Amino acid sequence: MENYKPSEALAKQAAETHFLEPVKKVDRFPTGLVHYVYDVRMAKNQIVVRMSTPENRHQLANGLYWLERLRPLGVPLPKVVFANLDVNVPYVLLERLNGSDLGNIYGDLTPSQKKDIAGIISNVQGLVAQLPQGSGFGFVSSYEKGFPHTSWAAVVDHHLRRSRIRIDSIGAVNSSYVDDIERISPKFQNYFDSIGPTPFLDDITTKNVIIDNGRFTGIVDVDQVCFGDPIFTIALTQMGLMSGGADLDYIEYWCDEINATEAQRSVLQFYAGLFCLDFMSEVGQAFNKDSTDIDWKWLSCLKSCHAQIMHHLR
C-alpha cells in the first residue's frame, strides 16, 4: 500500500482549497507523537492544520468527538473550521489560538500569572468532571467504544509495563529504573482502590495549554479523555517542568487550588516517577518523527529527574 504521509505541502493545499487564499507560511509544531500539526498563515487567516496517516485517522475522529462534548460545557477549545477524514491524508482545520504552549513561555511568567493559570486549569478539570462518569478506567476515545481497564490500579500497572517494554526494546536505559518505581507501587494500593472513574484531561500540561502575553487563551489537542485520578495530569506537568529545569511553583499553585491532601501530594510524586519512565521509554522510538537517534544528554537529564523523585518517595 502506498505510504501516505502528512507534509507541509499537503497542509498548504488543504488550507488553500478551503479558504481560496494563498498560503504565505507553513510551520510544523515540534510537539506531538501521533499527529502532524501545522501553523498555517495566510494574508487574512491563520489556522492550525492537524493531519494524520491513514491508520491514525480514528485519532482525528476522536478529537472531533470530544470537541463536540466538551465545548458545550465551557471547556475553552478551538472551533473546528473544516474536517475531511475521507482522504488519503485526513485532516482537520482548526481555529488558531493566540499564543504558545505553557512550557515555551513558563520562564517569563510572574508568580501571579502562574497562579492565575493554575486556577483556570483547575476549573477546566472541574468542567470536564461534569461529563458522565466512566464504566471503567483509563484513556478513552469515546464512551461508546468502551473502557480499557476495570480499576485505576490497572491503569498504573499498564503504564509501568509499557515503559518496561519500550525501554527493553531500545536498551539505552537500564530497566532498574522501572524496578525502582514498581517496588513503591504497592504502598499506594489503597489509594488507587479509592479512585473512581472521574473524567479529566490528561494532557493539559506544559503543552496544549496556550498562553499569550501571560494570559490563558485556550486548550488544544484533546483526542481522548482519561477516567480516574486527575492528579495524574498534575504529575505529568511536574515531570515536564522538571525535565526542562524549571521551578515547580505552578505545581504548588495547582495543588493549592484543589486543596490537595497529603495522600494526593504523595501519590503525585509517584505518578511523576511513572511519567519519568514514560519519557525515558520514548527515547529512540520513532513515533511520528523522522529520526530514532538516542539523545544521551536528554537521558542524563531524565536520570537526574528520577533521582530527585526517588528522594521524595523514600
Side-chain angles (χ1 to χ4, degrees), residues 13-15 17-19 47-50 60 64 67 79-87 90-95:
Q13 178 183 321
T17 299
H18 180 78
F19 286 97
I47 61 166
V48 169
V49 181
R50 300 185 83 208
L60 289 178
L64 295 174
L67 274 168
K79 297 176 182 177
V80 177
V81 177
F82 182 74
N84 190 347
L85 306 188
D86 298 321
V87 289
Y91 64 89
V92 177
L93 310 184
L94 293 162
E95 171 191 12

Side-chain angles (χ1 to χ4, degrees), residues 10 14 95 130 148 159 165 189 212 265 280 299 313:
L10 287 175
E95 171 191 12
Q130 294 176 23
H159 261 69
I165 290 168
Q189 189 61 51
D212 186 36
R265 289 175 180 271
M280 288 180 175
L299 270 182
L313 288 171

Side-chain angles (χ1 to χ4, degrees), residues 19 27 64 83 98 105 122-123 126 138 148 171 173 188 228 246 252 284-285 290:
F19 286 97
D27 293 304
L64 295 174
N98 291 330
I105 49 80
S122 175
N123 289 337
V173 182
F188 297 101
E252 285 301 312
Q285 306 286 347
D290 294 325

Side-chain angles (χ1 to χ4, degrees), residues 36-99:
Y36 296 71
V37 186
Y38 301 93
D39 185 11
V40 179
R41 301 181 187 186
M42 295 160 275
K44 297 179 181 178
N45 296 281
Q46 183 175 1
I47 61 166
V48 169
V49 181
R50 300 185 83 208
M51 312 188 91
S52 80
T53 54
E55 62 268 23
N56 286 320
R57 74 176 73 241
H58 66 283
Q59 297 274 30
L60 289 178
N62 297 343
L64 295 174
Y65 174 94
W66 289 115
L67 274 168
E68 290 175 0
R69 281 150 185 78
L70 291 168
R71 277 180 57 86
L73 296 177
V75 178
L77 294 162
K79 297 176 182 177
V80 177
V81 177
F82 182 74
N84 190 347
L85 306 188
D86 298 321
V87 289
N88 291 330
V89 180
Y91 64 89
V92 177
L93 310 184
L94 293 162
E95 171 191 12
R96 172 64 157 93
L97 301 178
N98 291 330

Side-chain angles (χ1 to χ4, degrees), residues 52 56 83 138 144 164 176 216 267 289:
S52 80
N56 286 320
E144 294 76 16
R164 187 181 294 279
S176 63
F216 171 85
V267 81
K289 303 298 189 296

